[in-house]
Amino acid sequence: MTKTPSSEEITDSEKVGYLKERVYVAFTGLAIVVALYTGDVHHRTPGQSFATLMLGVLGVTSAAFASDVITHLAVHKHFPDVRTLGVIARTTLGALSSLVLPALLILAAAWDAIEIETALLVAGGIYVAELALIVWLSVRSAAISWQQRAAAMLILVGIGVAVLAIQVLAHA
């Protein structure tokens, strides 16, 4: 007897969407804090850094929400129902949680608790750690050999470094 998912269960495609959004937001946040860290020191105030990070991450999550609604319309030929729209919203809003610690660090710099350079450097480290954790969790649970896991980790980290380098160059 096959089990039908209840409305509370998360489907595999919903998990994919959530992780995908987390990766996009983490890369975006990382590119922003690296660009701020390496950019012009006169434009690196805590207030400007906070606004840049918030607007950049909100922009990418808004684009993701719009993209999910548009692709649903294109594939299914109708507007998402309430449940699907809720999934899209939860997925998008869930990705915003990766903004919390970096934003708090920048606010700490605004309150003179730490230097803005330190806040941006630690925020970058948080984004790198988040991306590494997502990759590790994904590879760890894959039904592949340890050699394939190691190769996948190296390939994914290499792709991540390449994406980051491209984003930093684009923002520089």
Side-chain angles (χ1 to χ4, degrees):
M1 180 159 147
T2 20
K3 181 181 171 191
T4 35
S6 74
S7 62
E8 300 301 315
E9 290 179 7
I10 298 172
T11 67
D12 285 346
S13 82
E14 291 168 4
K15 290 176 191 175
V16 166
Y18 178 74
L19 286 173
K20 182 177 69 169
E21 297 307 322
R22 292 296 297 237
V23 169
Y24 287 155
V25 169
F27 269 123
T28 300
L30 180 57
I32 290 168
V33 297
V34 168
L36 287 167
Y37 183 80
T38 59
D40 182 7
V41 72
H42 300 294
H43 293 93
R44 195 185 312 144
T45 67
Q48 290 168 326
S49 297
F50 184 82
T52 300
L53 181 61
M54 294 297 284
L55 290 172
V57 169
L58 287 173
V60 79
T61 54
S62 298
F65 181 85
S67 172
D68 287 348
V69 172
I70 291 165
T71 55
H72 187 280
L73 279 165
V75 170
H76 300 288
K77 310 296 184 215
H78 61 83
F79 195 77
D81 60 25
V82 173
R83 182 193 181 284
T84 304
L85 204 53
V87 167
I88 293 170
R90 280 192 308 277
T91 298
T92 304
L93 293 174
L96 287 175
S97 66
S98 71
L99 179 64
V100 173
L101 288 177
L104 288 175
L105 285 165
I106 294 171
L107 286 175
W111 298 321
D112 293 325
I114 59 175
E115 294 293 321
I116 186 62
E117 290 81 10
T118 304
L120 293 169
L121 192 60
V122 174
I126 289 169
Y127 281 124
V128 168
E130 179 181 1
L131 288 165
L133 180 64
I134 291 169
V135 170
W136 180 75
L137 290 172
S138 301
V139 171
R140 177 185 70 116
S141 61
I144 55 178
S145 71
W146 73 267
Q147 295 96 335
Q148 291 170 318
R149 283 189 185 110
M153 284 290 293
L154 287 173
I155 291 167
L156 293 171
V157 167
I159 291 169
V161 168
V163 167
L164 176 60
I166 291 165
Q167 288 182 332
V168 169
L169 285 173
H171 286 91

